[in-house]
Amino acid sequence: MTVSLEQLRRCHFAVDLGAARTRVYVRGVGLVVDQPSAAAVNTRTGALIAVGEFAERMTGRTPDYIKVVRPVSGGTVVDIEMAQRMLRHLLGDKTRRMLRRKPRLRAAACAPHAADPLARRATIETLAGLGARRVELVDTLIAAAVGCGLPVERPEATMIMVCGAAATQVAVLSLGSFVAAARVPVGGEAVDHAVVQHLRHQHALMLPTQSVRPLQLALSGNGITEHGPASAEIHGRDVVTGRARSVRVDTAAVREAIQTPLTAVLDGIGQVLRDCPPDLVADLADRGITMVGGSALLPGFDQMLREATRMPVHIAERPDICAAQGLGAMLEGRIEPLALNPLAA
């Protein structure tokens, strides 16, 4: 792990700063924040107007002087000051007062796998601005595996796949460490973009900005598998006239449009499996892949992975909050490390 469990038990709160949503876990209290990573700003005065769900609903519906910004992109803080302001408002005065009373306030945060030093530093500075005297970073893959109940500390192969908005991270874990891992810069946003571009080019239709999950609007039932519905009706705006219009979309064409980003994810899984020892790959043939993250809920995504890898694929019970739950379990001391006592000579 990035840090020891003993260090994490001393932390008072943990933050999972994602490209889509921000989650905060306070030790002894639980998950206190689960909101979109968005903030609405008055560009004339610099005043913060709204954060979280309210700011998300304002996207595409504001006058020119109000701008909705996202201080986190690709799991990395790109605007430290705005991220701090957003977190202060999301936490609220009551929670912030409670945290300020802690002597030598400590925080933990998720860091994307193989994040560069600048990205890690940006996360640390963001939480330091909230008063944290020390910030511990935990790899998102480890936190998510702990949060969905995988036995990461045992000498068993476990494969975790974190399907985020901006990237997909895949790893095989054993004895609390990485055997093989890969980060693919393709996530739910890339799939959404592929669907939006397909509708624009083939049907001259623009989807509303609020359609965060246009794929779920286009598909139902078995989703992106061949057993899904043959067609679906989509509502949007005509590119030429600007008027509201509905079109019936062939879902087979939609499936073809999203193959490019999903193929990149399959390539990442193949790379991780090729880097694994044969014994661990044999274990994975029985245990399979566990999917977490908000994009794991894309309809039919798990079935596509089963057919491509010929391995069992499971979606965690609450895939969207697994990383935050994993951080919380470490803070509360619910995870015990495996004791490896050296043999006497």
Side-chain angles (χ1 to χ4, degrees), residues 274-343:
R274 286 192 296 271
D275 292 341
C276 277
D279 291 343
L280 293 182
V281 175
D283 289 345
L284 295 174
D286 297 326
R287 297 191 180 95
I289 306 171
T290 301
M291 298 175 64
V292 302
S295 298
L297 298 174
L298 287 174
F301 193 14
D302 56 334
Q303 181 60 31
M304 191 200 76
L305 291 180
R306 288 189 194 98
E307 296 174 356
T309 62
R310 301 184 184 279
M311 294 168 57
V313 177
H314 316 283
I315 300 178
E317 185 177 350
R318 287 294 307 276
D320 51 337
I321 62 172
C322 279
Q325 287 180 330
L327 285 175
M330 296 177 193
L331 263 61
E332 304 285 4
R334 294 196 295 266
I335 306 299
E336 293 294 333
L338 179 68
L340 295 176
N341 298 319
L343 298 177

Side-chain angles (χ1 to χ4, degrees), residues 10-33:
R10 299 174 185 172
C11 294
H12 301 96
F13 72 104
V15 179
D16 177 18
L17 274 171
R21 299 185 73 87
T22 293
R23 298 175 178 91
V24 180
Y25 187 102
V26 176
R27 191 177 69 189
V29 179
L31 194 66
V32 297
V33 173

Side-chain angles (χ1 to χ4, degrees), residues 88-235:
R88 289 192 193 102
H89 282 79
L90 288 176
L91 284 170
D93 293 337
K94 182 178 179 181
T95 303
R96 285 166 52 204
R97 282 197 299 268
M98 178 183 67
L99 292 175
R100 280 199 297 265
R101 289 196 292 266
K102 305 289 185 182
R104 295 192 59 82
L105 183 64
R106 289 177 174 236
C110 283
H113 182 69
D116 60 77
L118 287 178
R120 297 166 68 89
R121 189 65 193 172
T123 302
I124 293 173
E125 289 186 11
T126 299
L127 298 188
L130 296 178
R133 302 288 295 274
R134 183 181 176 92
V135 180
E136 310 289 357
L137 297 182
V138 181
D139 196 293
T140 302
L141 287 162
I142 295 285
V146 171
C148 63
L150 293 179
V152 295
E153 293 294 333
R154 298 180 186 174
E156 305 173 1
T158 55
M159 191 167 189
I160 184 79
M161 178 175 172
V162 179
C163 309
T168 300
Q169 304 172 69
V170 188
V172 174
L173 306 172
S174 181
L175 289 174
S177 186
F178 294 102
V179 177
R183 185 173 185 268
V184 183
V186 172
E189 292 176 352
V191 176
D192 290 350
H193 182 72
V195 177
V196 169
Q197 291 302 309
H198 170 76
L199 294 175
R200 183 183 180 95
H201 295 152
Q202 299 299 321
H203 301 278
L205 191 76
M206 291 183 64
L207 287 180
T209 307
Q210 293 297 314
S211 299
V212 181
R213 288 261 74 90
L215 182 61
Q216 293 182 1
L217 298 177
L219 303 172
S220 59
N222 291 316
I224 58 179
T225 65
E226 296 180 357
H227 307 293
S231 63
E233 190 173 3
I234 302 295
H235 307 282

